[in-house]
């Protein structure tokens, strides 16, 4: 299907038609095993980079899961979160800077992949694979990642404010925020379980939790611990006070004990629609993991670019130059894989 689309695009170009009316079939879906023929080692190379990085710093597993989430919620899963422009990109905005981490892991994976198969694997797909591998390492559960995303080339800091939920969000705001990304309330609760790993800067919860203490929605012992953890020089706290490096369902068990770190986490047990979901995931880890992997796949589908709607960045941090773009264009018109042309 991909090859006939490409050929259709070529014909359109040759007759100098404006490629605005490509057949519907060409709006390609993501596919599991997308790189099996194009770059058979792609997923292995990502896994190696992630495994090495997490062995050195276990916190990077959390960083990589969040990196994919923050990519997907802002302009879709298009690696816009990785772009470095002039200080006004997504990664420079307060929801991302300085807390977002794992960029160097993606760069290492991309470098290994470019050496093995140049101009073939998008940064957006590398982010999705890396998040999956981070989940596998921290949660002992895995899933197949549909691929074929392409990279976008727009990254604007202020987009993060309107698209990413914040730690002060109410249940209603969280539900609405996820709904805008085609994720329902249950999927919002399921994906929030990612807060079972990683850490948070104290600035993200400190002031608000003093108010929660006053209203009795945070354990006073927990708040006392956080006050200690957040006194200089330490400025971060684990998200899950019980098993901070293991991706498990303890997140849901902590909430009814008033041990949720953020106001937004606590909101999941303050809404009658959401409480039964929290209880179900607290009671059954297998159920949560099943739903979590499915929700990660769905999140990885948000507003993806495929085929000619995006490109394959050679360096995940910068837009392709004119020369790299034209070389890429030649490759798109005359694909190296001869069987693709033959198949049509
Ligand atoms: C439901 C709404 C969500 C809110 C309000 C939220 C908010 C936050 C905040 C404020 C932090 C701490 C950042 C800092 O250091 O200041 C954080 C960390 C984190 N978030 Fe979320 N998040 C949400 C959903 C998600 C989702 C859907 C995922 C992934 C599927 C996710 C994964 C993570 C991870 C893994 C960390 C720890 C990162 C690290 O240790 O580097 N979050 N989140
Ligand atoms: C291991 O982590 C340290 C700091 O946490 C970093 O400086 C070093 O580059 C890392 N090494 C590798 C191989 O990732
Ligand atoms: C640099 O920042 C300005 C806004 O301050 C923006 O309009 C412009 O597109 C940015 N340049 C690049 C190369 O991203
Ligand atoms: C990992 O998951 C498998 C089931 O998928 C289970 O049998 C095994 O005990 C788990 N290992 C750990 C260390 O939790
Ligand atoms: C729970 O959230 C839903 C969706 O925002 C909202 O309609 C409902 O009023 C909330 N329920 C409570 C008890 O806050
Ligand atoms: C926490 O956030 C503040 C304010 O953005 C920042 O100055 C500080 O470096 C951050 N600390 C850590 C450990 O990320
Ligand atoms: C959350 O609310 C507190 C006040 O309770 C405020 O100090 C803090 O800046 C807010 N945090 C964010 C990220 O909006
Ligand atoms: C837990 O969830 C799994 C997966 O949906 C299901 O097969 C199993 O029966 C559930 N266990 C219990 C005790 O309900
Ligand atoms: C931006 O994306 C479009 C669409 O993929 C592509 O044709 C163009 O070359 C890109 N621009 C840059 C500077 O990379």
């Amino acid at each position: 299907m991909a090859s006939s689309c490409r050929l259709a695009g070529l014909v359109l170009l040759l007759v100098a038609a404006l490629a605005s009316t490509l057949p519907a079939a060409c709006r390609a879906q993501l596919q599991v095993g997308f790189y099996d023929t194009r770059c058979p080692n792609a997923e292995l190379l990502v896994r190696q980079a992630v495994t090495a990085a997490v062995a050195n710093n276990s916190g990077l597993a959390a960083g990589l899961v969040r990196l994919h989430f923050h990519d997907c919620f802002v302009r879709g899963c298009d690696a816009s979160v990785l772009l470095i422009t002039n200080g006004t990109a997504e990664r420079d905005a307060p929801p991302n800077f300085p807390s977002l981490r794992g960029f160097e892991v993606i760069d290492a994976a991309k470098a290994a992949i470019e050496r093995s198969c140049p101009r073939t694997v998008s940064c957006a797909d590398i982010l999705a694979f890396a998040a999956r591998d981070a989940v596998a390492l921290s949660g002992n559960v895995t899933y197949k990642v549909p691929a074929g995303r392409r990279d976008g080339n727009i990254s604007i800091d202020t987009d993060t404010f309107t698209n990413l939920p914040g730690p002060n969000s109410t249940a209603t705001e969280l539900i609405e925020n996820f709904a805008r990304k085609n994720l329902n309330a249950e999927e919002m609760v399921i994906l929030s379980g990612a807060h079972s790993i990683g850490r948070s800067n104290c600035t993200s919860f400190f002031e608000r939790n003093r108010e929660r203490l006053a209203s009795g929605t945070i354990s006073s012992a927990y708040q006392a611990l956080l006050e200690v953890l957040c006194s200089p020089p330490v400025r971060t706290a684990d998200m899950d006070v019980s098993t901070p490096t293991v991706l498990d369902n303890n997140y849901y068990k902590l909430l009814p004990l008033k041990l949720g770190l953020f106001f937004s986490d606590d909101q999941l047990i303050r809404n009658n629609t959401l409480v039964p979901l929290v209880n179900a995931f607290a009671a059954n880890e297998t159920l949560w993991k099943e739903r979590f992997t499915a929700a990660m796949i769905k999140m990885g589908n948000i507003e993806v670019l495929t085929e000619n709607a995006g490109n394959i960045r050679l360096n995940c941090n910068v837009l392709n130059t004119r020369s790299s773009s034209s070389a890429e264009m030649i490759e798109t018109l005359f694909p190296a894989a001869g069987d693709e042309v033959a198949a049509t």
Side-chain angles (χ1 to χ4, degrees), residues 64-72 77 127-128 131 296 299-300:
L64 290 166
V65 172
R66 185 167 180 242
L67 205 48
H68 183 43
F69 162 50
H70 282 206
D71 181 34
C72 293
C77 313
L127 277 170
M296 285 293 285
M299 186 178 87

Side-chain angles (χ1 to χ4, degrees), residues 296-309:
M296 285 293 285
I297 292 167
K298 194 167 168 195
M299 186 178 87
N301 253 299
I302 297 172
E303 300 159 35
V304 293
L305 305 174
T306 57
E307 303 268 332
N308 294 328

Side-chain angles (χ1 to χ4, degrees), residues 52-53 56-57 60 104:
N56 188 34
N57 175 0
L60 288 174
E104 71 283 3

Side-chain angles (χ1 to χ4, degrees), residues 151-153 305 307-311 319-322 325 328-329:
D151 302 325
N153 46 28
L305 305 174
E307 303 268 332
N308 294 328
N311 62 5
L319 296 179
N320 291 341
T321 61
R322 194 179 292 271
S325 293
E328 188 194 313
M329 176 62 85

